Amino acid sequence: QVQLVESGGGLVQAGGSLRLSCVASGRTFSNNIMAWFRQAPGKERAFVAAVTWSTGVSYYEDSVKGRFTISRDNPKNTVLLHLTSLKPEDSAVYFCAGGTVKSSSNAGLSRYYNLWGQGTQVTVSS
């Protein structure tokens, strides 16, 4: 059974940076895309960024473009999310997810992701 384990969250001041890591362990899986979602208290889980395993094509939610960078390390089954210029509104639990999509238009939709990590807390102080 494949498991996704996130790490790297923490408390940072506004304008600071963090690097989140997601490691997929277990047997080989067929998902073709990995993503990060986030959920703030009282809000729905929301798409942040995604990257395809094979080509490394990335997708971003508009509010994080230019500030967050997603990347993958295929041999290590690892997906990274580098968060920079953090704002208090970026505070949330960040979840790693593995999914399968046939169209780039589906990259940000949680229903196409069947593997989820336990989440890691990111808190940005003002």
Side-chain angles (χ1 to χ4, degrees):
Q1 184 176 356
V2 179
Q3 289 185 319
L4 302 180
V5 179
E6 304 101 331
S7 62
L11 172 64
V12 64
Q13 289 187 330
S17 301
L18 283 173
R19 191 182 301 271
L20 307 184
S21 175
C22 173
V23 179
S25 63
R27 67 175 179 87
T28 303
F29 60 100
S30 60
N31 298 96
N32 64 2
I33 193 168
M34 297 294 292
W36 289 91
F37 289 77
R38 64 186 179 185
Q39 188 168 19
K43 294 189 176 181
E44 297 282 324
R45 189 171 299 189
F47 171 73
V48 176
V51 64
T52 58
W53 273 122
S54 60
T55 61
V57 173
S58 56
Y59 308 90
Y60 295 94
E61 190 271 328
D62 286 346
S63 70
V64 307
K65 285 180 181 177
R67 300 190 298 122
F68 292 6
T69 303
I70 190 170
S71 61
R72 90 273 191 250
D73 185 337
N74 293 47
K76 296 182 179 179
N77 287 337
T78 299
V79 176
L80 302 173
L81 185 67
H82 189 202
L83 299 74
T84 66
S85 301
L86 282 162
K87 306 174 182 179
E89 52 264 42
D90 293 319
S91 297
V93 177
Y94 283 69
F95 296 90
C96 177
T100 302
V101 298
K102 295 183 179 180
S103 168
S104 60
S105 61
N106 297 329
L109 302 177
S110 60
R111 65 177 180 269
Y112 289 95
Y113 294 84
N114 62 321
L115 292 174
W116 293 86
Q118 81 288 351
T120 185
Q121 177 71 48
V122 171
T123 304
V124 184
S125 62
S126 57

